[in-house]
Amino acid sequence: MCGIVGYLGEKNPKTVIIDGLKKLEYRGYDSAGVAIIHNGKTKRIRAQGKLKALEEKVLNEDFNGHVGIGHTRWATHGAPNERNAHPHQVGEVSLVHNGIIENYLEIKAELIKEGAVISSDTDSELVAHLIWKELQKNQNLLLSVQIVLKKIIGAFSIVALWEKSPNELVAFKDGPPLIVGLSKDTEKSEFFVVSDVQAALVHTNRFVYLNDREVVHIKDKAVNYYNADGATLKKEITVLNWTADMVEKMGYRHFMLKELYEQPRSVAAAIAPYIDTDTHAVKFNDQGKSFNSETIFKSIERVIFVACGTSFYASMIGKYLIEQICRVPVDTDIASEFRYRRPVIPKNSLVISVSQSGETADTLAAVRLAKEQGAQVLSITNVAQSSIDREADAHMYMNSGVEIGVASTKAFTSTLALLNVLALQISKARGSLSPVSEKEYVQNLLTIPSQIEVVLAYDKYFSEAAKELQKYKGFLYLGRGVNYPIALEGALKLKELAYMHAEGYAAGEMKHGPLALIDESMAIVVVAPSDELLDKTVSNLQEAKARGGKIISIGTGENKALKDMSEYYLSLPGSLWTTNPIIAVVPLQLMAYHLADSLGYDVDQPRNLAKSVTVE
Ligand code: AGP
């Protein structure tokens, strides 16, 4: 969602903030702005559109202060224009905000009654009014923020600046992430307050993660943390091993392309902690403090996955894997549904949350609900120390490195690899995995990185076919069994990147409705590996072809029947059913990427979308 960068230190705040915002632009990008102290006054510059517009506006501006705040906005309240862009300034206070203030109507009515002049359509500006109102009375920024925090309801993180106190920043969080960066050189004092560590990685790797309803007060050379009641908190410093070059394109045209190509490495990195490469056995590598996975896996009677979007589709594959390998019943829930449907979570359930960012608001809420009901939560995430990771009882990490492209790629394949590991661990803990099967599964899993390399060779094929594929008015993606969620994921990639109509269906569902859509302008993309369901899928395709549909198929090896009926046929290397989805999704990612790129769309930052959805 919105990106926040606050800075207090000896460097030029303009450069630090703009460079930081560039690293966050993928989170939200319909307007941007900075407020930096200059000659004891707030100099605020905002611009509609991409960050480039703001960069041009501040290019020749000087700032001689050492404190400032910046923001990239993904509109929630109010249109994406300059007047609604952050920072918002009221009197001597300016602030940036990520999230939603739920009681904004009430606050607005009260402020208007008191004579306040509201100059934007946002809920954020109202918080600046409230702080300024307090500040005029008490001349204390920290105290004012603490008072206001008690009055606002919602999910928000906010950084505030007071021009009269040019060596001070106050920030608070109750929802979307907010992280304090401390100077790498412990002798020096400079401070960052960011919504994502990527904004400050070039300067430091020492971070303090704020929890909900926590306040940070940075003044002169000191930093202090408080809870919502004003009690002092002692916070832990996390030293990250991520480096700044992880957030560069490294010569690729787009982050998404780079991330697509990183998949052999990221899948290998995901499974490495859990595989004994000498014996080809799975290991229980508990990364949870109080969680003994072997014991828990032995006694669980149900698994419930909660996730959103691509992570939800990965969870659907988790259901196939765990039910078939472990014979444990599995439910999959879209997190935004789970949290509101008063779910029944039976005793001995293991709730597994899947989230690349670890910050998705609905998934976080689902995790909290599960914990309230006494379930153990295992989180699968890419970002260690993210909100979901911190709240879970046990942890598995995708180990994919930073994923910048809004369209998730490498996090998806790493998750599928981890779900393979998890299914084997559960089965092993329950004594239902024979050593022979374990070896076969593990050996197969270890071949996946090199098989992805083979599939990446389709890159050229898709870049050539992209223009031709533009002619279709719609795309139906089909799959069966474990490849049904891959059809859903392929359709999602095409929708979010190429803005083309695409639907994912279980191939057997065609006759129950979607067949009516088929004519010559409809492309049917089918994932049909050589498994026991192949013949059934082929007959579904015959029906579609007979009605004029054009077939793009992804099969195993030289499948003549499939090839003959298809406009395009892609051959995947042979693999077990458990891992086939990991390699089958790669051509679908490439297809969406090249189609979108050939249409001239911004692949890394698709319209209307943000990388991590930290509000409902
Ligand atoms: C994927 O391409 C999407 N951008 C989106 O569906 C994403 O997977 C979803 O928002 C969940 O994000 P998370 O994994 O960070 O929780």
Side-chain angles (χ1 to χ4, degrees), residues 199-250:
L201 268 183
V202 64
H203 306 284
T204 187
N205 59 352
R206 297 171 69 234
F207 294 98
V208 174
Y209 290 82
L210 295 185
N211 290 322
D212 279 353
R213 303 199 63 72
E214 287 184 355
V215 179
V216 59
H217 182 212
I218 301 164
K219 192 164 184 190
D220 302 322
K221 294 188 173 356
V223 56
N224 288 295
Y225 305 92
Y226 303 93
N227 69 14
D229 299 322
T232 311
L233 297 172
K234 217 174 144 18
K235 299 282 296 178
E236 209 177 294
I237 299 174
T238 302
V239 180
L240 293 183
N241 60 3
W242 284 9
T243 53
D245 62 358
M246 288 179 176
V247 287
E248 301 298 337
K249 283 193 198 137
M250 313 288 280

Side-chain angles (χ1 to χ4, degrees), residues 307-313 354-361 363 380-381 388 398 403 405-409 411 489 492-493 496 606 609-613:
C308 300
T310 287
S311 293
F312 175 69
Y313 297 147
V354 180
S355 173
Q356 185 285 131
S357 61
E359 299 294 351
T360 300
T363 311
I380 299 181
T381 185
I388 294 173
M398 297 171 194
E403 190 179 73
V406 165
S408 187
T409 50
E489 170 62 4
L492 176 64
K493 288 282 101 79
E496 69 177 329
L609 296 180
K611 179 67 180 165
S612 96
V613 183

Side-chain angles (χ1 to χ4, degrees), residues 373-448:
Q373 296 200 18
Q376 298 260 22
V377 175
L378 165 64
S379 104
I380 299 181
T381 185
N382 194 29
V383 183
Q385 290 298 324
S386 54
S387 302
I388 294 173
D389 185 42
R390 281 181 287 141
E391 299 214 9
D393 302 296
H395 317 266
M396 284 180 109
Y397 296 105
M398 297 171 194
N399 275 342
S400 302
V402 185
E403 190 179 73
I404 301 275
V406 165
S408 187
T409 50
K410 59 179 179 172
F412 180 70
T413 44
S414 289
T415 304
L416 297 188
L418 281 179
L419 290 170
N420 267 267
V421 166
L422 185 65
L424 298 181
Q425 287 178 327
I426 296 175
S427 182
K428 190 171 182 171
R430 301 166 83 83
S432 61
L433 185 68
S434 75
V436 175
S437 303
E438 180 178 6
K439 203 167 185 170
E440 191 194 356
Y441 282 126
V442 170
Q443 281 174 340
N444 172 250
L445 199 49
L446 288 169
T447 65
I448 295 306

